Structures are given as C-alpha cells and as structure tokens.
Amino acid sequence: MHPLSKLDHRYVWHPFTQMRDWLKREPIVIVSGKGTRLWDAQGREYLDANSSIWTNLHGHNHPRINAAIRRQLGKIAHSSALGLANEPAARLAEKLVEAAPPALSKVFFSDDGSTAMEVALKLAYEFARRRGRSRKPKFLTLEGAYHGDTVGAVALGHIELFHKAYSGLLFRTDKVMAPYCYRFLFNRAKPERADAREYRKCNWECVGKLEQKFAAQKKQADPYAAFVVEPLMQGAAGMIPQPAGWLRRAAEIARAHGALLIADEVMTGFGRTGLGAVREGERPREPRHLQKSGLARTLALPLFACQHEGVQPDFMALAKGLTGGYLPMAATLTTQAVFDAFLGEYDEFKTFFHGHSFTGNQLGAAAGLASLEMLQTTGSLRARQRLEQTLNHELQTLWRCPNVGDIRQVGLVVGVELVRDWRTREPFDLRARVGIRVCEAMARQGVLTRPIGNVVVLMPPYCTTPAEARRMVAALGEAVVGLPKSG
Ligand code: PMP
C-alpha cells in the first residue's frame, strides 16, 4: 500500500463514508490535477466527472485562478471581516450583486453551503419576527430537500437516511411534495425510452399540494415565514428536475401567502443549470436576450437557476462554484428590506450576531472574482453550451441499457437513475449498493464520480471536451452492463 494510503487509513475519517468499507481497500490518493484530469499517487489518470463533488467550474490548476490567488497571496492571505473590510471581498460582493436577480443587493459571506443556508435561515427567521408576521416563524421545504449538514441546515432537510438519527436535535420544518416526475404518484405517462415527449402527464398535482399547504397555514398564528427551494433541480435528493414552470408557480404561491423565498443555489449557481434547461426531451433554448443579440451580451447571461424562470428570491445561498471550486467560501445574498430590519442604534441590539473567523477571506474572494470574470466570457459560454449539447446527445445512448430507468439533465447536471427494470421502474434495494458499485467500475475505467443512492451523477467541469464527455458517458454505460435484471 502507498505510504499516503496508509496515513489516510490510520488517521482520516471521511465524510459520508462507511469507514469499515473504506479501510478494506486502498484509497485513491489524489496528488495533482489539470483541467478535467486528476492524478493519483500511483500515477493513474482520471476524469473528474463530478467536478470534485460539484465544486469545480473551469478545471483544476487553472492559470487565471492560480494567478489571481498568487497575486493576492503576495499581499495578504487573510484578515478578519469582523471590524475590517478588504478589497477582494468588497469587489466580489459588487460583482455578485450585479450578476444576481435584481432585488438582491447585500452579501453576507461565510464558508460553505451549509453556513450560507444557516445565514439565510437565521435572517429569515428574525426578519419575520421583526416584521410582526410571526412569533415563532416556520419553514416549508421540499420532500427530499438537502441544504447541508449543520444543524439548522439539517432541520430544513428531508432525507431520512441522513437526517433521522439527529431528529432529536432539530426544530420542525414542514415538507411538501416535490415534483419528482419519474416517481410521481399522479404522473400518468407510460415509461418510455429515448423519446421523452410523454414524460409527464399530470394536472400539476404537486403545485396543488403546495397551494394546499400554504392555505392550511393561513389561519394559524405562525404562518410559514419562508419557502426554501433548490431551484430547477434538487441535488442530493437524487438529481430531481422541476418541470418547466414549476419554480415560477411555486414562487408565486409562496409570495401570494406572504412567505419569503430562500433559493439554495449552492449546487445550481454559476451556470450549472445551463442556458436553458434541457428537460423533458427539449433541446436547449436560448434565452430571449441572446436570440436577439447573439453571444455578445455575455454579461446579461443568467448564471443562476432562478433567473431561468424569472424568479426573484429574498435570499440566495451560494458556495461550491463561488471560487471556481478552489477554496471554501460561501455567500448569502439578500434584499435591502432584510438588511434594513437589522439597522438600529447600537443599544437597540438589532445587530445580526453571526459570523465566522474566515468570513470574507481574501484568497477565496480573489479566486471568486477570477472565476466570475471567466464565466462571463464568450469562450466560457460557448464551451458550456457545447458541453450541454454533447452530454444531451451522448446520454441518449444509455437508453439502451435495461437498468437505466431515467436520465435527467438540467444544463450541466446529469442524474441517471438505475432500476431493476426500466418497464416497472422497480428500484434496487439500497443495500445492494448498486450506485456505489457502478461508480467503482467507472473509476477502474478512469472516470471518477459519486452516486446518490441508485442515481449516478455526471457533473463535469466546464472545460470538459466533447471527447472527454463521451468517455464519461461511455464509462457509465459500460459499468451498468452486468447489473442484475429483475425476474
Ligand atoms: N445545499 C445544496 C443544494 C447542496 O447541494 C449542498 C452540498 N451538496 C449544500 C447545501 C451544503 O454545502 P456544503 O457541503 O458546502 O456545506
């Protein structure tokens, strides 16, 4: 065993990992990366098919982000945001506000997705109280929701496998049916293969359920303070896309009932959801302003999922891709109204008493500025568009596999749900570890990703070439061959 593997085995406890299994085999020890590629301590090369758990945007070891961090390192790595301002954080906040939906005008920095959601949660809670809407504000989230692993974020979540053990620690949040069309009780469309025109045949019962939830709360002393949503696609729930129009309608319902909207764009932000979602068999559509002006007005491009449906959140949580996937940094964007509710004389103690040691870190902000600049270039836009189309095209080949039940793509996020038989949609028992086994087989072919249960995720960096995208999909296709059939 490589000495680094031994060290890891001896001392490191890995996240979301059964360590008994981990200790049975030699781990892949990553020592370097460049673009889409990663190399391990044995010199083996891999494609990073999940962008290092959904974080990396432009590829590893990118010269522009490296240069931005080095430049900043020559000045200072970190000084506190408690009592002090700094240049890169101020500049990054400006750029984020420019790129975000219009009413978001203030930026609160933190460290990762979970902390960005904690900030949104606490601000929304206190804002609702100060506005006199509620004395003990309540939150509504989606079935299968995942918003992070800190305790507040876990309370917003509804993944039993992850969250049940800690239920005694949590405050209660209500959940409502998510639009999981593939396993949707009310979806009358028959299982089909490649042609997905009939993917969804329903009467928007999920929207009706949301309406009912809000209506039932209306007369209570504490109506919902906020509706929390991962816009366009729920990630850790199993890459579950929302049908076109769902997000807009859900946001309208929340608004009509006076609730705030918290958009968790930790996964979906920074161009991940593409230029126009490819869902239900649709080809990507160009946003209207691009149709008129070609690719020149790159600054006006939607970088966030909410913008695809013209939804205006009160809070938007960002992390993962914020620094191009380089450093742990997050941000919660909010409105002037929320900001104003925390203004007062010192001795009114309206201050938002919350923050972290590394809030507004200069190295992270410098990386974030470089990443954001690159995202807004025509070159990046074209590459993303091409990658989205290549993935869409290549994924069609997977419909041949009887164990591929559903292929879900929103922009540059892909979830392939594996089932015992596509006709019956019978799921594999989680204990069979089908997703894990498929990903292990893919790793042997030099393609790295992680499953969510029986859903295999592809979420490549934006610099992935068509040939590399083809390799990723082909590796998945080959790994699926040999899975047990039903009957
Ligand atoms: N929200 C969403 C939608 C996420 O996907 C994640 C992480 N997968 C988080 C929050 C938590 O982010 P982090 O792991 O950076 O705390």
Side-chain angles (χ1 to χ4, degrees), residues 54 112-115 117 146-149 230 235-236 264 266-267 319-320:
W54 321 348
D112 50 43
S114 309
T115 55
M117 285 304 292
Y146 177 84
H147 298 291
D149 291 328
E230 291 171 68
D264 178 349
V266 169
M267 179 194 84
K320 291 192 185 279

Side-chain angles (χ1 to χ4, degrees), residues 89 92 109-112 318-320 322-323 327-331 360-361 364-365:
L92 178 60
F109 286 111
S110 62
D111 306 338
D112 50 43
L318 304 173
K320 291 192 185 279
L322 172 59
T323 60
L327 289 158
M329 183 182 216
N361 172 260

